[in-house]
Amino acid sequence: MKYFAFAIGLFAICTIALAQENDMLQTELEEEYYQRLNSSPDMSRIYIFFNDQPCPNCPQAIDMIEEVYNQNYLNNYELFLINYAEDANSGFVEEYDLTNPLEVVMVEVKNAEPVGFQKIEGLQNMTANPEAFNEFFVTQVNGYLQN
């Protein structure tokens, strides 16, 4: 009986140790990921988040966002394309309340620290009219990040 109690105690200790090691590894991976994202810590960011179940217009909307970004904001803000369905990116889901197949989030950065964010909604529904898409995207970015 005491061997059984000893075995259960040893199992509990090993389980706790493995959980702590896993938490430390996850924290290290997240820190490394965020360090890579912070290549220019003073620049505000535009994130394009997608998941493994894209909407029919999502690929086209992503291409259009990248085009507008390259024409207007290449040297002003950083742009990141991130699959938020991947486990390594799961922290973004909660941080930015990501639920749709395509989410665009602008993150304002001041003194190398994020100070707020705002989403741009519905871009995947605007791909049929590229002119309106571009105007809407530029208005949203200028209105939030260039304030």
Side-chain angles (χ1 to χ4, degrees):
M1 182 68 159
K2 66 178 163 180
Y3 291 114
F4 181 71
F6 175 75
I8 289 179
L10 184 60
F11 176 76
I13 290 171
C14 290
T15 302
I16 291 170
L18 284 173
Q20 288 175 339
E21 183 177 322
N22 192 25
D23 286 347
M24 287 189 333
L25 179 60
Q26 181 68 25
T27 301
E28 289 172 8
L29 289 173
E30 287 175 358
E31 286 177 10
E32 179 184 328
Y33 184 79
Y34 285 113
Q35 285 173 354
R36 281 190 284 132
L37 291 182
N38 290 328
S39 57
S40 298
D42 289 326
M43 290 181 82
S44 292
R45 302 175 196 124
I46 301 171
Y47 292 112
I48 304 171
F49 292 106
F50 63 97
N51 63 22
D52 293 332
Q53 301 166 342
C55 62
N57 296 331
C58 287
Q60 183 180 2
I62 291 170
D63 289 343
M64 293 170 75
I65 293 165
E66 289 177 325
E67 185 178 320
V68 175
Y69 170 82
N70 288 334
Q71 290 173 355
N72 297 284
Y73 305 113
L74 190 59
N75 297 314
N76 300 335
Y77 311 115
E78 291 186 306
L79 180 71
F80 298 97
L81 183 63
I82 300 171
N83 182 347
Y84 73 84
E86 293 177 355
D87 288 343
N89 300 326
S90 63
F92 290 115
V93 174
E94 197 170 305
E95 187 170 351
Y96 299 120
D97 189 30
L98 304 175
T99 57
N100 295 314
L102 179 65
E103 301 261 6
V104 178
V105 178
M106 301 174 291
V107 178
E108 184 179 14
V109 175
K110 295 206 189 273
N111 300 319
E113 293 292 325
V115 294
F117 74 91
Q118 180 175 311
K119 289 184 178 184
I120 303 176
E121 305 280 347
L123 289 171
Q124 66 273 18
N125 301 321
M126 301 179 72
T127 58
N129 186 341
E131 196 171 298
F133 181 100
N134 294 354
E135 184 178 324
F136 180 73
F137 186 82
V138 168
T139 300
Q140 294 294 306
V141 171
N142 291 351
Y144 183 71
L145 294 178
Q146 291 185 356
N147 54 15

